[in-house]
Amino acid sequence: MSKHVRISPEEAADRLAIRELVEAYALCADRRDAKGQMALFTADTHFVVYMNAKDPKPSMDLHSRDARAPVFADLNKYDATTHFVGQSTIFTLASDRATGEACCLAHHVTVDDEKRRLMVASLRYYDTFVKTDGAWLFAERQLYVDWVDERALS
C-alpha cells in the first residue's frame, strides 16, 4: 500500500478518471451498452480471459476492440446482471500510461420456465491504461475468474 503525503491535482484527476473508467465498464455491462463499453478500449486493445484463474492457458485472447463484440453479446443470455466493483489499485501511473488491478463480484440471473438461478463470479482484472487525447482507456485487460457459485433463487 502506498502512502501519499501529497499528490498533484493532475495525479488526483488521473486516479479518479481511471477509477471511473473501471466503473463505467461494469455499468455498461449491466445496462447492455455495447457501444459504450467498446468505446472504453483502444482500437488495438488486448483482452484476455482466464475462466480458471489457476490455469495459465487463456480461455480467450482477443486483439482488437471490435473482437470484443461477441463477448459483450454473450451477456444477453442473462435476464439481469449486476457487477459490484470492489477494491481497485493503481500500481504504476505516468502522464499517459498506468497499470492496476480491480476486483469485482459479478451477479448473473437467468430465468428458464419461471425458474430463476443466480450465478456469482469473483473476478480480478489486471489492466493497462493509456491516456489518449486527454481520456483514459483500456489498452489491455486480463480477466481472471477466481471462483463461481450457482444457486436457485426463490
Side-chain angles (χ1 to χ4, degrees), residues 75-135:
L75 287 175
N76 291 321
K77 69 183 175 187
Y78 300 107
D79 190 57
T81 60
T82 303
H83 292 76
F84 288 109
V85 179
Q87 68 273 19
S88 64
T89 302
I90 295 175
F91 298 132
T92 63
L93 178 61
S95 63
D96 64 349
R97 194 164 186 83
T99 61
E101 176 183 8
C103 298
C104 176
L105 287 177
H107 299 71
H108 300 80
V109 175
T110 56
V111 179
D112 187 25
D113 293 328
E114 296 186 30
K115 293 180 183 176
R116 297 176 47 195
R117 296 200 50 82
L118 172 66
M119 184 268 286
V120 179
S122 176
L123 311 176
R124 279 180 298 121
Y125 294 94
Y126 289 101
D127 297 315
T128 300
F129 311 98
V130 294
K131 192 175 190 180
T132 305
D133 296 327

Side-chain angles (χ1 to χ4, degrees), residues 12 20 31 43 49 65-66 68 79 87 106 122 124 130 150:
E20 288 175 343
R31 299 295 177 257
V49 177
R65 177 192 299 151
D66 293 338
R68 292 200 71 263
D79 190 57
Q87 68 273 19
S122 176
R124 279 180 298 121
V130 294
E150 295 187 53

